[in-house]
Amino acid sequence: KQPPASSAPASIMSAEEKYKSIFDHTVEGIFHTTCSGKILDLNPALAKIFRYRSPGEMKKEIKDIPRQIYADQGMREKNMRMVEARGHAEFELRYRRKDNTLGWGYASVRAVRDTHGETAYYEGFILDITDRKEMEEKFRETRDTLERRVIERTRKIAQLNAVLAADIAERKKMERTLR
């Protein structure tokens, strides 16, 4: 008789499969990058956000995250300084897609430290918030237009009130003259 097979490898496999399923099917873009700005790993959602056909295509084509991803290259440096100082940071970023169109993302990034406390790499996620940012911009434009209209109409009403006040004063003057 053989001893019963251990269930540990099956449970480990199951945990790995669960993690892989989350990584592969979540709508958030998940990534690992080097400190110098190269992609180590990414999920399909991140490739889709940046309009690449696959994670492999994006990993192959993106060699310099600050230059190829960030619309404002200096923002990555600023954002990574925050991550380094606190160990993690959350921020919005304007990014460039494969087709050179711009989008907005919300990122949560963590510095993964080695045993000496040095940053080994970064990991995090990005949510595409482009639609929300575009709606906010349209809202601002609409609000600004309405505020300009209110100011213009208020000015016109003030002008009409001045004309009306002058007419009333003239009428009162004529009434006094007629008495």
Coordinates of all heavy atoms in Angstrom, one line a residue, residues 160-172:
L160 N -29.8 98.0 -18.0 CA -31.3 98.2 -18.1 C -31.8 98.9 -16.9 O -32.7 99.8 -17.0 CB -32.0 96.9 -18.4 CG -31.8 96.3 -19.8 CD1 -32.4 94.9 -19.8 CD2 -32.3 97.2 -20.9
N161 N -31.4 98.5 -15.7 CA -31.8 99.2 -14.5 C -31.4 100.7 -14.5 O -32.1 101.5 -14.0 CB -31.3 98.5 -13.3 CG -32.1 97.2 -12.9 OD1 -33.2 97.1 -13.4 ND2 -31.5 96.3 -12.2
A162 N -30.2 100.9 -15.0 CA -29.7 102.3 -15.0 C -30.6 103.1 -16.0 O -31.0 104.3 -15.7 CB -28.2 102.4 -15.5
V163 N -30.9 102.5 -17.2 CA -31.8 103.2 -18.1 C -33.2 103.4 -17.5 O -33.7 104.5 -17.6 CB -31.9 102.4 -19.4 CG1 -33.0 103.0 -20.3 CG2 -30.5 102.4 -20.2
L164 N -33.7 102.4 -16.8 CA -35.0 102.5 -16.2 C -35.0 103.6 -15.1 O -35.9 104.4 -15.0 CB -35.4 101.1 -15.6 CG -36.8 101.0 -15.0 CD1 -37.9 101.4 -16.0 CD2 -37.0 99.6 -14.5
A165 N -33.9 103.6 -14.3 CA -33.8 104.6 -13.2 C -33.8 106.0 -13.8 O -34.4 106.9 -13.3 CB -32.6 104.3 -12.4
A166 N -33.1 106.1 -14.9 CA -33.0 107.5 -15.6 C -34.4 107.8 -16.1 O -34.8 109.0 -16.0 CB -32.0 107.4 -16.7
D167 N -35.1 106.9 -16.7 CA -36.4 107.1 -17.2 C -37.4 107.5 -16.1 O -38.2 108.4 -16.2 CB -37.0 105.9 -17.9 CG -36.4 105.7 -19.3 OD1 -35.7 106.6 -19.8 OD2 -36.6 104.6 -19.9
I168 N -37.3 106.8 -15.0 CA -38.1 107.2 -13.8 C -37.8 108.5 -13.3 O -38.7 109.3 -13.0 CB -38.0 106.1 -12.7 CG1 -38.6 104.8 -13.2 CG2 -38.6 106.5 -11.4 CD1 -38.3 103.6 -12.3
A169 N -36.5 108.9 -13.2 CA -36.1 110.2 -12.7 C -36.6 111.3 -13.7 O -37.1 112.3 -13.3 CB -34.6 110.3 -12.6
E170 N -36.5 111.0 -15.0 CA -37.0 111.9 -16.0 C -38.5 112.1 -15.9 O -39.1 113.2 -15.9 CB -36.7 111.5 -17.4 CG -37.1 112.4 -18.5 CD -36.3 113.7 -18.5 OE1 -35.2 113.8 -18.0 OE2 -36.9 114.7 -18.9
R171 N -39.2 111.0 -15.7 CA -40.7 111.0 -15.5 C -41.1 111.8 -14.3 O -42.0 112.7 -14.3 CB -41.3 109.6 -15.5 CG -42.7 109.6 -15.3 CD -43.2 108.2 -15.2 NE -44.2 108.1 -16.3 CZ -44.7 107.0 -16.7 NH1 -44.3 105.9 -16.3 NH2 -45.7 107.0 -17.6
K172 N -40.4 111.6 -13.2 CA -40.7 112.3 -11.9 C -40.4 113.8 -12.1 O -41.2 114.7 -11.7 CB -39.9 111.8 -10.8 CG -40.4 110.5 -10.2 CD -39.6 110.0 -9.1 CE -40.1 108.7 -8.5 NZ -39.3 108.3 -7.4

